[in-house]
Amino acid sequence: MADHKISIHQQDAKKLAAGYSRSFRLVEILSIVSFFSMTAVLFYRVSHQLNDKPWLILEAFIVGYLLADFTSGFVHWMGDTWGSTEMPILGKALIRPFREHHVDQKAMTRHDYIETNGSNCLISVPWAFGALFIPLDSSVGLFAAVSIGSMIFWVMMTNQFHKWSHLEESERPALVSFLQRWHLILPPEHHQIHHAAPYAKYYCITTGWLNWPLHKLRFFRIAERIVTGLTGLIPRKDDIGLYAALATAPTQSAPLEQQTQRH
Ligand SMILES: [Zn+2]
Ligand SMILES: [Zn+2]
């Protein structure tokens, strides 16, 4: 698909970094506080069932971890592939960090706790709120509440795991290196597969466990074909430039590629 002759056109790193606004930072702080408050209440509610149904809770907890890895991949794919930094509101707040990360991988290692984790708390807050209202007296309800609680907890941790995967070995706490070596959280070498242009595979960044199966299933390529078929949008156009995006898009964009080559 990709070839080394494709010329990738990315955006200016300084301009991307400058797009982090104070108002969005306030939203992030509120999201972090809301997220931890709601998760604490959920944990308290579930803790009463721990003695009665420990295996069910453990299973739901593991399912939540897998769901978080999938969610991390799906959200990352959406952010990398569609939209533009020029879009109102969403462009600066949600899409800009994805563009910045491909231009300057180390930028996120300089972000503080709020900038690293705020946006993931923001997307988790509605789920945490919903999970608080699930009745826990049935096994189905308990399983749903714990798996959602576990999923949003690991989604919240995802950017931290991602950040750790970009630290130099000497900068990483020993426990983090241990967890990475055992592939319990995202290992740095595994994640580097994503960081080769055109940045079109291995999107999962919680543990990365689902990267290989999703790649083999061509999951994201099929999703791109569907989106392009329905909307005409070209995947990765804003990230790597129109020409490279066309050259790496699933074959459906081939007629468009021929059109641009004529100009
Ligand atoms: Zn990416
Ligand atoms: Zn990365």
Side-chain angles (χ1 to χ4, degrees), residues 15-90:
K15 216 170 122 195
L16 287 166
Y20 182 55
S21 68
R22 290 184 77 167
S23 53
F24 190 64
R25 189 171 172 85
L26 186 65
V27 171
E28 288 180 328
I29 293 169
L30 290 172
S31 304
I32 291 169
V33 173
S34 317
F35 176 82
F36 278 103
S37 317
M38 288 182 206
T39 314
V41 175
L42 185 63
F43 181 80
Y44 176 74
R45 290 183 70 218
V46 168
S47 65
H48 299 304
Q49 309 270 346
L50 210 53
N51 282 338
D52 290 344
K53 296 173 179 163
W55 292 109
L56 183 94
I57 290 173
L58 181 67
E59 277 166 28
F61 191 75
I62 294 168
V63 166
Y65 203 18
L66 280 169
L67 286 172
D69 199 39
F70 179 79
T71 306
S72 77
F74 196 80
V75 171
H76 183 178
W77 168 75
M78 293 266 288
D80 273 6
T81 312
W82 312 108
S84 126
T85 47
E86 302 301 316
M87 285 165 70
I89 306 166
L90 287 182

Side-chain angles (χ1 to χ4, degrees), residues 76-77 80 98 101-102 162 191 194-195 199 202-203 239:
H76 183 178
W77 168 75
D80 273 6
F98 290 96
H101 187 56
H102 287 181
H162 184 197
H191 180 51
H194 175 70
H195 275 282
Y199 316 94
Y202 281 46
Y203 295 99
D239 187 33

Side-chain angles (χ1 to χ4, degrees), residues 57-254:
I57 290 173
L58 181 67
E59 277 166 28
F61 191 75
I62 294 168
V63 166
Y65 203 18
L66 280 169
L67 286 172
D69 199 39
F70 179 79
T71 306
S72 77
F74 196 80
V75 171
H76 183 178
W77 168 75
M78 293 266 288
D80 273 6
T81 312
W82 312 108
S84 126
T85 47
E86 302 301 316
M87 285 165 70
I89 306 166
L90 287 182
K92 281 244 173 4
L94 293 181
I95 296 171
R96 178 196 61 82
F98 290 96
R99 300 293 172 274
E100 183 185 25
H101 187 56
H102 287 181
V103 180
D104 181 1
Q105 313 183 20
K106 289 279 182 192
M108 74 177 310
T109 65
R110 299 186 289 272
H111 294 171
D112 64 6
Y113 184 84
I114 292 164
E115 192 172 0
T116 303
N117 298 293
S119 55
N120 279 12
C121 284
L122 177 62
I123 57 171
S124 298
V125 160
W127 292 87
F129 185 71
L132 290 178
F133 294 95
I134 298 175
L136 301 181
D137 33 25
S138 72
S139 292
V140 175
L142 182 62
F143 191 91
V146 174
S147 50
I148 292 171
S150 167
M151 177 184 81
I152 55 177
F153 177 77
W154 297 116
V155 162
M156 185 276 295
M157 287 303 293
T158 292
N159 275 357
Q160 193 65 51
F161 293 169
H162 184 197
K163 179 178 169 179
W164 282 332
S165 82
H166 281 288
L167 291 179
E168 297 300 324
E169 201 172 349
S170 57
E171 298 168 324
R172 291 195 293 260
L175 178 64
V176 169
S177 294
F178 174 82
L179 294 171
Q180 288 173 337
R181 248 194 325 276
W182 284 88
H183 205 150
L184 293 171
I185 62 174
L186 184 70
E189 321 73 49
H190 178 94
H191 180 51
Q192 278 306 311
I193 298 171
H194 175 70
H195 275 282
Y199 316 94
K201 62 181 171 188
Y202 281 46
Y203 295 99
C204 301
I205 49 174
T206 309
T207 59
W209 293 344
L210 296 179
N211 279 325
W212 186 81
L214 290 175
H215 182 62
K216 285 289 155 194
L217 290 168
R218 298 179 53 77
F219 179 83
F220 291 112
R221 294 298 81 76
I222 293 167
E224 283 165 15
R225 274 185 180 225
I226 295 169
V227 175
T228 302
L230 291 173
T231 64
L233 294 171
I234 300 160
R236 287 170 288 280
K237 181 179 157 193
D238 187 60
D239 187 33
I240 57 177
L242 179 64
Y243 182 74
L246 285 168
T248 56
T251 49
Q252 200 158 10
S253 303

